[in-house]
Amino acid sequence: MADATSELKKIKDEVVALSSSPLYRYRIENKYFPVIGEGSHSADIMFIGEAPGENEAKTGRPFCGRAGKVLDDLLASVGIERKDVYVTNIVKDRPQGNRDPLPEEISIYAPFLDRQIEIIKPKVVATLGRFSMVYIMNRYGLEWEVGPISTLHGKVFEANQFKYVPLYHPAAAIYNQHLLSTLQEDFKVLKSVV
Ligand code: URA
C-alpha cells in the first residue's frame, strides 16, 4: 500500500490539474495556489475549514492569515502544537471575493477531503464553521443530528470512523470576544477527547 505522503501528493496533483472546477480560472488569473492541507500525516486531530482566503491562496497554506492566527492561539491555549495536527478546508480553491462556497463547489472538492480523512485516519475531526460541519455530519452518519452551529458547537459525536467535534470558525471570533471565549472552551473539549 502506498504511504500517506505519496497518497496526499496524488491528491495535490489532481487538485492542481482540476480545470473542471468553477474556481480554476479565478485561481489561474490571479496566480493563486490551491490549498490542499498542511500538517502531520499521522495526526490525531484534523481541522476542516471552509475555503482559502486571499492569504492562503497567495501562499498555498491553510489558515495562514488572521483566522489562522486565532487558530494558532487556540491550539497554544490547550498545549497542542500546530505541526502535530492536520489542517485543511472543504473547498481547496479561493471563492471570488471570499464569498461563501456554492453547493457545486463543495461537491467537486469534497471527494478530496474524504480521501484525506481516509489516508490520515484522524482520531478526531473538528470542523471550523458551518459549511464543513454540514458536510461532515451528512457524509459520516450524523445526518439526524444536523442543526444550528449555535447548539452543536463543542459537542462530541461518534461518527462512523472518528470522533467529531463541530467548532465555530475562528474568523467569527476576530471581532467577537464572546465567540472567542466559546472557542476557547470548545478547544478544551477537543483536547479532552484525543
Ligand atoms: N478560512 C478558512 O476557512 N480556511 C482557511 O484556510 C483560511 C480562512
Side-chain angles (χ1 to χ4, degrees), residues 156-174:
V156 181
F157 296 91
E158 288 290 337
N160 289 344
Q161 306 163 31
F162 43 75
K163 289 198 169 98
Y164 170 57
V165 184
L167 299 169
Y168 280 113
H169 196 291
I174 290 174

PDB file of all heavy atoms in Angstrom, residues 156-174:
ATOM      1  N   VAL A 156     -19.402  16.445  21.409  1.00  0.00           N
ATOM      2  CA  VAL A 156     -18.601  15.356  20.846  1.00  0.00           C
ATOM      3  C   VAL A 156     -19.558  14.308  20.287  1.00  0.00           C
ATOM      4  O   VAL A 156     -20.428  13.809  20.999  1.00  0.00           O
ATOM      5  CB  VAL A 156     -17.706  14.714  21.924  1.00  0.00           C
ATOM      6  CG1 VAL A 156     -16.852  13.606  21.310  1.00  0.00           C
ATOM      7  CG2 VAL A 156     -16.824  15.777  22.596  1.00  0.00           C
ATOM      8  N   PHE A 157     -19.402  13.991  19.021  1.00  0.00           N
ATOM      9  CA  PHE A 157     -20.227  12.977  18.357  1.00  0.00           C
ATOM     10  C   PHE A 157     -19.350  11.790  17.971  1.00  0.00           C
ATOM     11  O   PHE A 157     -18.156  11.951  17.696  1.00  0.00           O
ATOM     12  CB  PHE A 157     -20.856  13.545  17.078  1.00  0.00           C
ATOM     13  CG  PHE A 157     -21.820  14.684  17.332  1.00  0.00           C
ATOM     14  CD1 PHE A 157     -21.375  16.005  17.325  1.00  0.00           C
ATOM     15  CD2 PHE A 157     -23.157  14.436  17.580  1.00  0.00           C
ATOM     16  CE1 PHE A 157     -22.261  17.052  17.562  1.00  0.00           C
ATOM     17  CE2 PHE A 157     -24.048  15.478  17.813  1.00  0.00           C
ATOM     18  CZ  PHE A 157     -23.593  16.789  17.801  1.00  0.00           C
ATOM     19  N   GLU A 158     -19.964  10.622  17.931  1.00  0.00           N
ATOM     20  CA  GLU A 158     -19.279   9.437  17.401  1.00  0.00           C
ATOM     21  C   GLU A 158     -19.721   9.284  15.950  1.00  0.00           C
ATOM     22  O   GLU A 158     -20.862   8.892  15.685  1.00  0.00           O
ATOM     23  CB  GLU A 158     -19.694   8.180  18.180  1.00  0.00           C
ATOM     24  CG  GLU A 158     -19.142   8.095  19.590  1.00  0.00           C
ATOM     25  CD  GLU A 158     -17.638   7.848  19.633  1.00  0.00           C
ATOM     26  OE1 GLU A 158     -17.074   7.324  18.647  1.00  0.00           O
ATOM     27  OE2 GLU A 158     -17.026   8.199  20.667  1.00  0.00           O
ATOM     28  N   ALA A 159     -18.840   9.598  15.026  1.00  0.00           N
ATOM     29  CA  ALA A 159     -19.160   9.401  13.610  1.00  0.00           C
ATOM     30  C   ALA A 159     -18.728   7.982  13.235  1.00  0.00           C
ATOM     31  O   ALA A 159     -18.263   7.221  14.082  1.00  0.00           O
ATOM     32  CB  ALA A 159     -18.441  10.438  12.767  1.00  0.00           C
ATOM     33  N   ASN A 160     -18.890   7.634  11.965  1.00  0.00           N
ATOM     34  CA  ASN A 160     -18.565   6.270  11.541  1.00  0.00           C
ATOM     35  C   ASN A 160     -17.128   5.879  11.863  1.00  0.00           C
ATOM     36  O   ASN A 160     -16.871   4.775  12.307  1.00  0.00           O
ATOM     37  CB  ASN A 160     -18.757   6.129  10.025  1.00  0.00           C
ATOM     38  CG  ASN A 160     -20.232   6.164   9.664  1.00  0.00           C
ATOM     39  OD1 ASN A 160     -21.085   6.004  10.534  1.00  0.00           O
ATOM     40  ND2 ASN A 160     -20.538   6.389   8.396  1.00  0.00           N
ATOM     41  N   GLN A 161     -16.200   6.786  11.588  1.00  0.00           N
ATOM     42  CA  GLN A 161     -14.784   6.394  11.666  1.00  0.00           C
ATOM     43  C   GLN A 161     -13.961   7.222  12.635  1.00  0.00           C
ATOM     44  O   GLN A 161     -12.754   7.025  12.745  1.00  0.00           O
ATOM     45  CB  GLN A 161     -14.149   6.539  10.272  1.00  0.00           C
ATOM     46  CG  GLN A 161     -14.887   5.800   9.184  1.00  0.00           C
ATOM     47  CD  GLN A 161     -14.492   6.302   7.795  1.00  0.00           C
ATOM     48  OE1 GLN A 161     -13.372   6.723   7.580  1.00  0.00           O
ATOM     49  NE2 GLN A 161     -15.409   6.251   6.850  1.00  0.00           N
ATOM     50  N   PHE A 162     -14.569   8.205  13.291  1.00  0.00           N
ATOM     51  CA  PHE A 162     -13.787   9.093  14.164  1.00  0.00           C
ATOM     52  C   PHE A 162     -14.742   9.792  15.122  1.00  0.00           C
ATOM     53  O   PHE A 162     -15.960   9.754  14.946  1.00  0.00           O
ATOM     54  CB  PHE A 162     -13.033  10.144  13.322  1.00  0.00           C
ATOM     55  CG  PHE A 162     -13.877  10.736  12.201  1.00  0.00           C
ATOM     56  CD1 PHE A 162     -14.886  11.663  12.461  1.00  0.00           C
ATOM     57  CD2 PHE A 162     -13.676  10.334  10.884  1.00  0.00           C
ATOM     58  CE1 PHE A 162     -15.661  12.192  11.429  1.00  0.00           C
ATOM     59  CE2 PHE A 162     -14.462  10.852   9.846  1.00  0.00           C
ATOM     60  CZ  PHE A 162     -15.452  11.783  10.131  1.00  0.00           C
ATOM     61  N   LYS A 163     -14.161  10.405  16.150  1.00  0.00           N
ATOM     62  CA  LYS A 163     -14.958  11.303  16.986  1.00  0.00           C
ATOM     63  C   LYS A 163     -15.055  12.632  16.247  1.00  0.00           C
ATOM     64  O   LYS A 163     -14.120  13.023  15.539  1.00  0.00           O
ATOM     65  CB  LYS A 163     -14.286  11.512  18.340  1.00  0.00           C
ATOM     66  CG  LYS A 163     -14.330  10.289  19.224  1.00  0.00           C
ATOM     67  CD  LYS A 163     -14.061  10.679  20.668  1.00  0.00           C
ATOM     68  CE  LYS A 163     -14.372   9.533  21.590  1.00  0.00           C
ATOM     69  NZ  LYS A 163     -13.192   8.774  21.983  1.00  0.00           N
ATOM     70  N   TYR A 164     -16.168  13.301  16.445  1.00  0.00           N
ATOM     71  CA  TYR A 164     -16.388  14.516  15.669  1.00  0.00           C
ATOM     72  C   TYR A 164     -16.800  15.665  16.593  1.00  0.00           C
ATOM     73  O   TYR A 164     -17.712  15.514  17.411  1.00  0.00           O
ATOM     74  CB  TYR A 164     -17.484  14.259  14.616  1.00  0.00           C
ATOM     75  CG  TYR A 164     -17.911  15.547  13.968  1.00  0.00           C
ATOM     76  CD1 TYR A 164     -16.960  16.347  13.331  1.00  0.00           C
ATOM     77  CD2 TYR A 164     -19.217  15.994  14.036  1.00  0.00           C
ATOM     78  CE1 TYR A 164     -17.318  17.559  12.784  1.00  0.00           C
ATOM     79  CE2 TYR A 164     -19.582  17.196  13.481  1.00  0.00           C
ATOM     80  CZ  TYR A 164     -18.632  17.975  12.858  1.00  0.00           C
ATOM     81  OH  TYR A 164     -18.976  19.183  12.342  1.00  0.00           O
ATOM     82  N   VAL A 165     -16.104  16.810  16.451  1.00  0.00           N
ATOM     83  CA  VAL A 165     -16.415  17.997  17.264  1.00  0.00           C
ATOM     84  C   VAL A 165     -16.629  19.206  16.342  1.00  0.00           C
ATOM     85  O   VAL A 165     -15.682  19.673  15.697  1.00  0.00           O
ATOM     86  CB  VAL A 165     -15.266  18.318  18.257  1.00  0.00           C
ATOM     87  CG1 VAL A 165     -15.650  19.495  19.162  1.00  0.00           C
ATOM     88  CG2 VAL A 165     -14.899  17.100  19.097  1.00  0.00           C
ATOM     89  N   PRO A 166     -17.857  19.710  16.263  1.00  0.00           N
ATOM     90  CA  PRO A 166     -18.085  20.931  15.481  1.00  0.00           C
ATOM     91  C   PRO A 166     -17.623  22.157  16.276  1.00  0.00           C
ATOM     92  O   PRO A 166     -17.865  22.241  17.480  1.00  0.00           O
ATOM     93  CB  PRO A 166     -19.615  20.990  15.296  1.00  0.00           C
ATOM     94  CG  PRO A 166     -20.185  19.785  15.976  1.00  0.00           C
ATOM     95  CD  PRO A 166     -19.104  19.162  16.813  1.00  0.00           C
ATOM     96  N   LEU A 167     -16.955  23.069  15.582  1.00  0.00           N
ATOM     97  CA  LEU A 167     -16.478  24.300  16.219  1.00  0.00           C
ATOM     98  C   LEU A 167     -16.893  25.503  15.372  1.00  0.00           C
ATOM     99  O   LEU A 167     -17.066  25.379  14.145  1.00  0.00           O
ATOM    100  CB  LEU A 167     -14.944  24.279  16.316  1.00  0.00           C
ATOM    101  CG  LEU A 167     -14.311  23.146  17.140  1.00  0.00           C
ATOM    102  CD1 LEU A 167     -12.805  23.116  16.913  1.00  0.00           C
ATOM    103  CD2 LEU A 167     -14.629  23.335  18.620  1.00  0.00           C
ATOM    104  N   TYR A 168     -17.000  26.653  16.020  1.00  0.00           N
ATOM    105  CA  TYR A 168     -17.184  27.886  15.250  1.00  0.00           C
ATOM    106  C   TYR A 168     -15.940  28.149  14.405  1.00  0.00           C
ATOM    107  O   TYR A 168     -14.839  27.682  14.716  1.00  0.00           O
ATOM    108  CB  TYR A 168     -17.377  29.071  16.192  1.00  0.00           C
ATOM    109  CG  TYR A 168     -18.770  29.213  16.748  1.00  0.00           C
ATOM    110  CD1 TYR A 168     -19.016  29.030  18.102  1.00  0.00           C
ATOM    111  CD2 TYR A 168     -19.844  29.553  15.924  1.00  0.00           C
ATOM    112  CE1 TYR A 168     -20.296  29.168  18.630  1.00  0.00           C
ATOM    113  CE2 TYR A 168     -21.122  29.702  16.436  1.00  0.00           C
ATOM    114  CZ  TYR A 168     -21.348  29.511  17.782  1.00  0.00           C
ATOM    115  OH  TYR A 168     -22.603  29.641  18.292  1.00  0.00           O
ATOM    116  N   HIS A 169     -16.126  28.930  13.342  1.00  0.00           N
ATOM    117  CA  HIS A 169     -14.982  29.316  12.521  1.00  0.00           C
ATOM    118  C   HIS A 169     -14.172  30.388  13.265  1.00  0.00           C
ATOM    119  O   HIS A 169     -14.755  31.341  13.785  1.00  0.00           O
ATOM    120  CB  HIS A 169     -15.474  29.865  11.178  1.00  0.00           C
ATOM    121  CG  HIS A 169     -14.391  29.933  10.156  1.00  0.00           C
ATOM    122  ND1 HIS A 169     -13.341  30.821  10.246  1.00  0.00           N
ATOM    123  CD2 HIS A 169     -14.161  29.189   9.046  1.00  0.00           C
ATOM    124  CE1 HIS A 169     -12.527  30.635   9.216  1.00  0.00           C
ATOM    125  NE2 HIS A 169     -13.007  29.643   8.474  1.00  0.00           N
ATOM    126  N   PRO A 170     -12.829  30.238  13.313  1.00  0.00           N
ATOM    127  CA  PRO A 170     -12.019  31.231  14.036  1.00  0.00           C
ATOM    128  C   PRO A 170     -12.201  32.658  13.522  1.00  0.00           C
ATOM    129  O   PRO A 170     -12.056  33.610  14.294  1.00  0.00           O
ATOM    130  CB  PRO A 170     -10.576  30.766  13.796  1.00  0.00           C
ATOM    131  CG  PRO A 170     -10.662  29.362  13.344  1.00  0.00           C
ATOM    132  CD  PRO A 170     -12.031  29.132  12.774  1.00  0.00           C
ATOM    133  N   ALA A 171     -12.517  32.821  12.239  1.00  0.00           N
ATOM    134  CA  ALA A 171     -12.707  34.187  11.708  1.00  0.00           C
ATOM    135  C   ALA A 171     -13.861  34.889  12.418  1.00  0.00           C
ATOM    136  O   ALA A 171     -13.856  36.110  12.575  1.00  0.00           O
ATOM    137  CB  ALA A 171     -12.961  34.142  10.202  1.00  0.00           C
ATOM    138  N   ALA A 172     -14.839  34.114  12.864  1.00  0.00           N
ATOM    139  CA  ALA A 172     -16.000  34.707  13.543  1.00  0.00           C
ATOM    140  C   ALA A 172     -15.602  35.302  14.892  1.00  0.00           C
ATOM    141  O   ALA A 172     -16.313  36.139  15.441  1.00  0.00           O
ATOM    142  CB  ALA A 172     -17.080  33.644  13.732  1.00  0.00           C
ATOM    143  N   ALA A 173     -14.450  34.871  15.421  1.00  0.00           N
ATOM    144  CA  ALA A 173     -14.026  35.327  16.748  1.00  0.00           C
ATOM    145  C   ALA A 173     -13.111  36.545  16.673  1.00  0.00           C
ATOM    146  O   ALA A 173     -12.729  37.090  17.700  1.00  0.00           O
ATOM    147  CB  ALA A 173     -13.327  34.192  17.483  1.00  0.00           C
ATOM    148  N   ILE A 174     -12.771  36.974  15.443  1.00  0.00           N
ATOM    149  CA  ILE A 174     -11.809  38.077  15.328  1.00  0.00           C
ATOM    150  C   ILE A 174     -12.370  39.348  15.985  1.00  0.00           C
ATOM    151  O   ILE A 174     -11.661  40.058  16.687  1.00  0.00           O
ATOM    152  CB  ILE A 174     -11.424  38.316  13.844  1.00  0.00           C
ATOM    153  CG1 ILE A 174     -10.578  37.135  13.341  1.00  0.00           C
ATOM    154  CG2 ILE A 174     -10.645  39.629  13.692  1.00  0.00           C
ATOM    155  CD1 ILE A 174     -10.238  37.168  11.857  1.00  0.00           C
TER     156      ILE A 174
END
